[in-house]
Structures are given as C-alpha cells and as structure tokens.
Amino acid sequence: MAKKNTSFFCTECGTETLGWQGKCPGCGAWNTLVEAPDEKTSKSDKNSRSDAPAFTANAFSWTDSEATVRLSEAGKLDYKRHSTGIAQLDTLFGGGITEGSITLVAGEPGIGKSTILLQMAESYKTDGDIMYVSGEESPAQIKMRAERIGVTRDLLICAHTRFETIADEMKKTMPALCIIDSIQTLYSDKITGTPGSVSQAREVTAGLIRIAKSNNMPIILVGHITKEGSIAGPKTLEHMVDTVLSFEGDGTGAYRILRTIKNRFGKSGELAFFEMGDKGLTPVDSSKALLLSGRPMNVPGSILTSTLEGSGAVPVEIQALVTDSCYSNPQRMTSGPDRNRVAMILAVCEKTLSLGLYTKDCFVNVIGGLKITDPACDLAIALAVISSAEGIAARSSALILGELGLTGEIRPVTRVVKRILDSAQPGMTTVLLPGSCKATIEKILAAGDTTDSKVLSGLEFIYADNLREAVDILFA
Ligand code: TYD
Ligand code: MG
C-alpha cells in the first residue's frame, strides 16, 4: 500500500513542516500545526500547472504565467478603482476596490462580516452584476437578511461550496464583483482534505486569485478566525491575497472596528468604526466607538492618549487597575496593548517609583477593544498604572503622549501635531508632551495665523523629560 504523505501547516504563519511538532519552527506559536494532505500526491497531479485553464484551482500564484522581464520593460499598471459607496470602507481599501484585487475580510464568527459585505454589495458603484457566493446560508436566508438591511440590488446568489462549480458560474455570469462567504466552506475536487482544511483553503484561494487576475474581477473572501488564532487558517492566506481587512475586538458590544492589516494598493493600518443596529452597520465617529463620551472623569486609572493608525490619529482611553494580589504569581492582563510592552512599562514604573507592583495584579485595557502597538502610548499606560496604584486621579482634561525608555526617560513621538489635532476632544485643555517636542509646538504657535496654530493656541502645553517629572506635573 502506498504511504500516505501529509504535511503540517501552522495556522498562525503558514510554515510547512513534514512532521507534527508542538511548537511552530516559523513563529514559535504552540499547538498551531495542523495536518493537511500533501498536494503533490493528490489528484491535482493529473493536471500539470502549465496547461491549467484560467478557471482552475490548480496554481499557487497567478504570476506564474509572466515571463521574466527587465524592470525598464515591465508594463505599467493602470488599475481602476470602484467606490464601495461607503466612504469609510473606501479609505480602508486605499480609495475604493481595485479591479482584479483579492481581499480577505477576517473576523470572529458573528462579528458582522456577512452584514458589511451585503451592505457593500448594495452600495458598490458598478453597472455590472454582483455575485454573492454563500456556502453558509441558503438564498432564502440571504434574502431575509438583505431585506432587513434594505438591499434593493438584484444580486446573483450562488449557494455552492464546490470550487469548480462556482468558477463555472463566475465564468458564465462574469460579475463586476464577487463576494465569497466564506473561504472555509469551499472545497476543490482537485485535492483531498475536508473543506476548511489549510490545504483546501490555500488551493481554493489560489484558484480564486487566478480568476481575479485573469479577468480583472475584484473578489472578496470572508475568513473566520477564532480567539485562539484560526481553525482553517485565514492567517496562512494573508500572504496570498492583496488586501486584508480584519475586525478587531470581541464584538460583544454595539461597536465594530475594522482595520486594514495589509494592502498592496494603499496604506495599511487604516481604521473604520461602525455601530451594529437593526439595519446593519452604520459608520460612526471614533470617539463614539471608543466610548470617549462616556469616559469617567476624575477617577484613578483613566488616561487619554492618542494612537497613530494609518493616515490619522485616534484618541483612546487607557484604563488600568492595580490591586493587591492573592496569587504567588501576580496577574498581568492586557486587552489592547501588547502584554510584553506593558511588562516593560510596569518594570520602569517600579524602578522609578517603587510601587510594590510585584505583589499586585495589574490589568491594562484600551476601552473599545482597539489593539494598540504605538509606543507613543507608553507614558499614558505608565501614568494610568501609577494613578490606579496610588489611588490618585490624573487630570482628566489632559492628553498624554510619550514613549518610555528603559531608564524612565520620555522619548519623542512622531507626528505630534497630527495626533493633537485629530484627538482634540470636548473638555481637553492640556497636553503633556516629551520635552523634545517643545520646539515643534513653539514653532507652530509662533506662526500665529495658521489653522493648526489656532487649535494649538487654545491648549495648555506641559513638557516632561522623564517619568518622575511627568508624575509630579500630572498628579500635582
Ligand atoms: P454576521 O454578519 O452574520 O456575522 P459574520 O458573518 O461575521 O459571522 O452578523 C451577525 C450578528 O450581527 C448577529 O449576531 C446579528 C447581528 N446583526 C444585527 O444586530 N443587526 C443586523 O441588521 C444584522 C444583519 C445582524
Ligand atoms: Mg457570516
């Protein structure tokens, strides 16, 4: 009997190994390797890659067909974009959806992926047809939802899960936009493995990329991810697609945050905020989604800061809770900021002020579920922790910006003026900045009559060079 060949893929980073291992050699994640049949031994061998027609899944990259050329001889891309009809979504895509592009919309089940795509199918600017491929819901179910959110466009609904059938339907109808909900439900005959397995998802995605590129048809894929990472590995698909939009947060509240994780046709890091209501998702202002309007005033542990995301800055509230621990290993929990970064900030706080944090549990949250990686929020996290540990409220009206160094020095932040202008809130009167930003601010204030200086002149600026100085000023 022939030996069954299998490979193992990491659902976090897509690394392939020959045998199972507890820890992924690529990204170091534990328990993320899943078994997948080796494509080389599957039925796909019967069709060689070179003579595969455009509508098959039998290729890993559409670029295989291109001959090697000199850079100077490479053709010019003149890609056309189509507006989604929702301004916030257009920004995420870098100014509309590019023809022939392939996008992955990832998020936990129930967060609103089908809803936003159905809304987009309604407002998308095109004269052509829009195809909605659903492997999860029947046409009747889709109709019910579409009626609820007010979709009037006569969409083409294709309720199939076999890739070859879907490809034939696409070939017949040549839609102007195709939405696949979801990639985990699709399978190809060319390869063994159950729908949703890493090899199936990768093979079907490769086939869809080929269709998108050879027909200039934008395709949007839905990919479910779970809290632990992913079952069928949309993570492994991220490097294959052009654009990745991801829902952030747990989706339990009314607000949803959508972020561009990757974009070959625009900036990554762009954010859009939505509110889930009876009629689907409505775009909202970031302050509303991040609950800044309901922010507690004059209580210990709450600090306002600003994080740079994509082309703009977003104001965020950092909350910290520091309490006596009943464990031998005190807990360190974060939701929003990176756990290791917070550990570093706690160590700097301890070294500077001897707060006794080694006997205390520390919780640090970003309100609204936004993930932050911007080091300019370091000082705000440190001050929120100190405020909670000492039980003293910081000035609620202050915006805090600054990166912390290991010696407790406050390092400069980038695009400081943009952050202040984008984060100005009702009631915000003071801005605490690194000492090194003083020259930038004073230069703008000295200019006098610009719009920037008009906003800045209404604010009080205070500067600090290290954590101790910042504490003395803010808790005075
Ligand atoms: P859905 O788009 O089906 O999530 P996903 O495709 O990411 O799995 O959204 C599901 C949730 O959204 C569900 O819990 C119901 C809720 N919802 C509303 O509150 N209002 C609406 O108008 C719609 C369409 C959904
Ligand atoms: Mg869905």
Side-chain angles (χ1 to χ4, degrees):
M1 203 176 86
K3 192 169 164 277
K4 191 179 157 224
N5 284 320
T6 53
S7 301
F8 292 81
F9 290 98
C10 172
T11 52
E12 288 292 315
C13 69
T15 298
E16 187 178 350
T17 60
L18 284 177
W20 187 84
Q21 298 176 27
K23 187 178 179 184
C24 167
C27 63
W30 286 93
N31 271 336
T32 53
L33 288 175
V34 293
E35 188 173 4
D38 191 345
E39 288 110 28
K40 293 176 206 83
T41 61
S42 71
K43 292 183 232 165
S44 61
D45 257 8
K46 287 179 199 154
N47 290 332
S48 78
R49 184 176 292 190
S50 57
D51 55 29
F55 282 85
T56 70
N58 189 19
F60 259 93
S61 168
W62 68 282
T63 51
D64 282 359
S65 53
E66 303 256 340
T68 307
V69 288
R70 299 245 171 231
L71 185 59
S72 56
E73 292 158 8
K76 246 194 180 164
L77 268 187
D78 182 23
Y79 38 72
K80 267 201 198 136
R81 290 183 190 265
H82 293 260
S83 169
T84 61
I86 303 171
Q88 286 78 356
L89 273 185
D90 283 350
T91 313
L92 291 180
F93 281 102
I97 298 184
T98 312
E99 280 185 356
S101 69
I102 185 139
T103 304
L104 176 70
V105 177
E108 286 173 24
I111 203 155
K113 299 180 294 296
S114 308
T115 307
I116 193 79
L117 292 179
L118 212 49
Q119 284 179 256
M120 201 184 84
E122 165 71 1
S123 58
Y124 188 74
K125 301 272 183 284
T126 179
D127 297 330
D129 269 322
I130 294 185
M131 182 183 256
Y132 194 96
V133 179
S134 180
E136 301 192 345
E137 292 168 297
S138 68
Q141 276 175 311
I142 297 167
K143 186 172 180 174
M144 196 174 74
R145 185 199 295 246
E147 279 174 358
R148 189 144 71 91
I149 59 179
V151 175
T152 52
R153 181 176 256 161
D154 207 6
L155 305 175
L156 291 169
I157 307 290
C158 172
H160 283 283
T161 53
R162 184 174 166 266
F163 169 77
E164 287 74 15
T165 313
I166 295 164
D168 283 346
E169 290 297 315
M170 287 163 89
K171 197 175 180 180
K172 256 189 261 163
T173 55
M174 275 297 167
L177 172 74
C178 184
I179 297 166
I180 311 272
D181 190 359
S182 64
I183 189 69
Q184 273 101 344
T185 55
L186 266 48
Y187 71 95
S188 166
D189 287 344
K190 303 261 182 298
I191 176 162
T192 52
T194 50
S197 64
V198 178
S199 52
Q200 281 286 10
R202 281 172 32 137
E203 189 74 0
V204 172
T205 304
L208 290 169
I209 291 174
R210 187 161 278 252
I211 296 175
K213 303 297 172 189
S214 52
N215 298 283
N216 242 0
M217 181 196 297
I219 298 184
I220 301 191
L221 309 176
V222 168
H224 293 292
I225 53 170
T226 62
K227 279 209 168 67
E228 294 76 41
S230 56
I231 299 171
K235 281 266 177 208
T236 64
L237 305 179
E238 279 182 9
H239 69 276
M240 299 174 76
V241 300
D242 296 315
T243 306
V244 181
L245 305 186
S246 176
F247 276 95
E248 240 165 58
D250 57 7
T252 46
Y255 300 104
R256 302 286 188 272
I257 305 168
L258 198 52
R259 185 196 290 271
T260 314
I261 303 282
K262 160 184 176 177
N263 196 356
R264 287 187 183 146
F265 302 107
K267 266 199 173 140
S268 62
E270 297 287 357
L271 286 179
F273 300 87
F274 298 92
E275 183 173 7
M276 182 67 92
D278 298 344
K279 294 205 175 303
L281 292 158
T282 339
V284 289
D285 183 53
S286 64
S287 320
K288 194 175 173 201
L290 296 172
L291 311 175
L292 290 183
S293 45
R295 197 182 149 220
M297 295 308 222
N298 302 316
V299 293
S302 163
I303 297 280
L304 182 69
T305 183
S306 163
T307 165
L308 212 54
E309 305 292 346
S311 48
V314 182
V316 285
E317 180 194 352
I318 307 273
Q319 281 197 356
L321 176 65
V322 179
T323 56
D324 288 335
S325 179
C326 56
Y327 301 99
S328 52
N329 272 336
Q331 298 197 67
R332 303 283 183 252
M333 308 280 268
T334 64
S335 159
D338 176 57
R339 204 160 171 259
N340 294 333
R341 188 85 194 168
V342 170
M344 185 279 274
I345 295 168
L346 292 178
V348 174
C349 291
E350 184 61 39
K351 189 83 178 168
T352 313
L353 297 160
S354 305
L355 300 168
L357 295 176
Y358 45 84
T359 60
K360 303 202 192 277
D361 290 335
C362 299
F363 304 88
V364 180
N365 284 358
V366 174
I367 301 303
L370 190 70
K371 283 200 178 68
I372 56 167
T373 49
D374 189 347
C377 300
D378 288 355
L379 181 59
I381 296 174
L383 292 172
V385 167
I386 295 165
S387 163
S388 177
E390 302 283 278
I392 312 168
R395 281 200 229 173
S396 301
S397 56
L399 177 76
I400 314 289
L401 290 170
E403 180 181 341
L404 266 190
L406 289 185
T407 65
E409 86 274 19
I410 301 174
R411 307 174 68 85
V413 295
T414 51
R415 304 184 66 197
V416 63
V417 179
K418 176 81 181 154
R419 289 169 191 273
I420 299 168
L421 296 177
D422 283 2
S423 309
Q425 292 290 306
M428 189 182 108
T429 56
T430 314
V431 185
L432 175 62
L433 292 178
S436 47
C437 291
K438 192 171 182 175
T440 317
I441 300 294
E442 290 194 340
K443 199 169 149 198
I444 293 172
L445 287 174
D449 54 352
T450 62
T451 37
D452 288 2
S453 78
K454 280 192 188 117
V455 178
L456 297 194
S457 61
L459 297 166
E460 177 199 3
F461 287 92
I462 42 182
Y463 303 93
D465 289 318
N466 55 57
L467 184 57
R468 189 174 285 279
E469 248 179 73
V471 170
D472 290 343
I473 296 170
L474 204 72
F475 300 109

